[in-house]
Amino acid sequence: MAAPRRSFADYQFEIYMRGLEDEVPPFTTDLSALEDAARDRIGPQPYWYVAGAAGTGATARANRAAFDAHRIVPRMLRDATGRDLRTTVLGSELAAPVLLAPIGVQSVVHPDGELATARAAEATGVPMVLSTASSHTIEEVAEANGDGQRWFQLYWPHDDEVTASILKRARAAGYTTLVVTLDTWQLAWRPHDLDQAYLPFIRGNGVAIPLSDPVFRSRLDRPAEEDPRAAAMRWLPIFSGKAHTWDELGFLREHWDGPIVLKGIVHPQDARRAVEAGMDGVVVSNHGGRQVDGAVAALDALVDVVAEVGGETEVLFDSGIRSGSDVFKALALGARAVLLGRPYVYGLALGGAAGVRHVVRGLLADLDLTMGLVGCTDVAQIGPDTLHRPDTPLRGEAGR
């Protein structure tokens, strides 16, 4: 069924109208300020697990600096009163070019975790991508998501039978697209987590999917309910510590009959290999700066990846999105859609499903208003000509 055309900008007027009754938003509308608000609400261990980055944090900072290096160029006297944010990604129509990125262990910031995110995703009309490291099972999240669009992210286990079982469950539960994360086959050096000796998985968090999987359970000496910590420790070496290779991608195609997208691509030649391997798309991402300290900014990598394969495969983007203008810039540089990460988790920490809805509605309203003020009536009009780099002169038509 086609996604309905929606005026996301209405959220702005809704907030102002509530102000007539002396009602202000329960959470800030500045997505870049959500982090500080969430920090005051949750403990240091879960906060830093979400907010932290690898090493010195240089990659996370580079992600934001890359956005600042591009400036939007508004055009005047264009009738952009009505906008249409709909787009098509991998054959499915989306109400807007935004998805909720796969983020695991969400119950550490709110007890409802991924269930709340699933409800908010359905309510706002954006797809969610469920992480293998979910606090709730594949089936529970699907039920909470109802008629929403949902994708499944795979941290690829080193047990083919377990992998096949998890993929079968995801397809049966209505997850349409497989997102395979490539850049986290082992954890990076993350000082904030290390200083607190905090890894949620060995504490039994973020392992609901394997612990509910019949094939994985058959590998256990005792039922997971009797010794959940031992079960979690049995899972760790299966999904972490060893890298997969390009020649193994055929196994995933054998066990997944929908689109497959590779996440963590930052080099154009890796994007080329993904195309040659028959993958349906790539997500340009450096894991929000959580994996390699001093890595290339994701937005800079997007430019090179789009130049290499943009006309041949779907190119999605994540890492660093904090506003509607950030979404606009990523689309202008060739992304088909973006995945929103940390901000919605901060919203989850602040208010469960209502907090996630607020964050998503705010982001979409910001994008909608930005498009109108720039002079774009639909996302197809967002292109390189809507951006400017400070080191490049603006050039008018016919040299003017």
Side-chain angles (χ1 to χ4, degrees), residues 50 52-55 57-67 101-102 155 181-186 188 190 262-267 282-302 305 316-322 339 342:
V50 176
T59 304
R61 294 191 298 274
N63 284 340
R64 293 303 310 152
F67 278 102
Y155 282 126
T181 296
L182 306 177
D183 58 10
T184 318
W185 58 271
Q186 69 176 18
R190 299 177 181 175
L262 302 185
K263 181 174 180 287
I265 299 293
V266 293
H267 195 291
V282 298
V283 181
V284 175
S285 168
N286 57 31
H287 219 89
R290 292 168 59 80
Q291 280 300 97
V292 177
D293 192 27
V296 60
L299 197 69
D300 292 336
L302 173 65
V305 169
L316 310 181
F317 173 85
D318 85 3
S319 298
I321 297 289
R322 295 294 181 271
L339 281 67
R342 289 181 177 99

Side-chain angles (χ1 to χ4, degrees), residues 6 117-126 145 148 357 361:
R6 308 174 67 174
T117 296
R119 296 181 186 114
E122 182 190 26
T124 54
V126 300
N145 189 233
R357 285 197 303 272
R361 293 189 70 191

Side-chain angles (χ1 to χ4, degrees), residues 39-50:
R39 185 174 187 174
D40 293 337
R41 183 69 60 90
I42 59 178
Q45 290 180 334
Y47 166 76
W48 281 115
Y49 184 76
V50 176

Side-chain angles (χ1 to χ4, degrees), residues 45-115:
Q45 290 180 334
Y47 166 76
W48 281 115
Y49 184 76
V50 176
T56 66
T59 304
R61 294 191 298 274
N63 284 340
R64 293 303 310 152
F67 278 102
D68 289 340
H70 293 274
R71 300 293 180 178
I72 298 170
V73 184
R75 300 300 300 273
M76 299 299 110
L77 294 176
R78 294 181 174 182
D79 185 5
T81 308
R83 280 90 57 192
D84 188 351
L85 273 65
R86 289 178 296 180
T87 191
T88 300
V89 177
L90 296 169
S92 296
E93 187 170 283
L94 275 58
V98 174
L99 303 88
L100 299 187
I103 296 180
V105 208
Q106 293 183 21
S107 64
V108 300
V109 304
H110 190 280
D112 291 344
E114 293 82 1
L115 302 180

Side-chain angles (χ1 to χ4, degrees), residues 287-351:
H287 219 89
R290 292 168 59 80
Q291 280 300 97
V292 177
D293 192 27
V296 60
L299 197 69
D300 292 336
L302 173 65
V303 176
D304 293 334
V305 169
V306 168
E308 179 69 27
V309 300
E312 303 173 55
T313 194
E314 298 275 36
V315 179
L316 310 181
F317 173 85
D318 85 3
S319 298
I321 297 289
R322 295 294 181 271
S323 67
S325 62
D326 290 344
V327 178
F328 186 98
K329 291 175 183 181
L331 298 177
L333 292 174
R336 189 69 162 175
V338 308
L339 281 67
L340 177 68
R342 289 181 177 99
Y344 87 78
V345 178
Y346 298 140
L348 175 66
L350 292 167

Side-chain angles (χ1 to χ4, degrees), residues 39-232:
R39 185 174 187 174
D40 293 337
R41 183 69 60 90
I42 59 178
Q45 290 180 334
Y47 166 76
W48 281 115
Y49 184 76
V50 176
T56 66
T59 304
R61 294 191 298 274
N63 284 340
R64 293 303 310 152
F67 278 102
D68 289 340
H70 293 274
R71 300 293 180 178
I72 298 170
V73 184
R75 300 300 300 273
M76 299 299 110
L77 294 176
R78 294 181 174 182
D79 185 5
T81 308
R83 280 90 57 192
D84 188 351
L85 273 65
R86 289 178 296 180
T87 191
T88 300
V89 177
L90 296 169
S92 296
E93 187 170 283
L94 275 58
V98 174
L99 303 88
L100 299 187
I103 296 180
V105 208
Q106 293 183 21
S107 64
V108 300
V109 304
H110 190 280
D112 291 344
E114 293 82 1
L115 302 180
T117 296
R119 296 181 186 114
E122 182 190 26
T124 54
V126 300
M128 74 170 295
V129 187
L130 178 67
S131 171
T132 300
S134 172
S135 309
H136 299 275
T137 70
I138 291 170
E139 295 78 11
E140 289 169 340
V141 176
E143 182 178 2
N145 189 233
D147 293 329
Q149 297 183 58
R150 49 188 176 271
W151 297 8
F152 183 73
Q153 176 267 343
L154 182 70
Y155 282 126
W156 194 347
H158 290 280
D159 183 317
D160 287 350
E161 291 182 346
V162 171
T163 301
S165 179
I166 290 174
L167 295 182
K168 181 179 179 180
R169 291 168 60 195
R171 284 299 278 158
Y175 296 80
T176 59
T177 297
L178 180 64
V179 179
V180 186
T181 296
L182 306 177
D183 58 10
T184 318
W185 58 271
Q186 69 176 18
L187 292 180
W189 188 258
R190 299 177 181 175
H192 289 295
D193 294 337
L194 290 163
D195 287 351
Q196 300 177 86
Y198 182 69
L199 184 63
F201 308 109
I202 62 176
R203 298 166 184 248
N205 295 322
V207 292
I209 290 176
L211 267 57
S212 62
D213 188 79
V215 175
F216 175 74
R217 291 173 66 89
S218 72
R219 308 285 197 261
L220 302 176
D221 297 327
R222 300 170 59 191
E225 294 77 14
E226 294 182 10
D227 195 345
R229 178 164 293 183

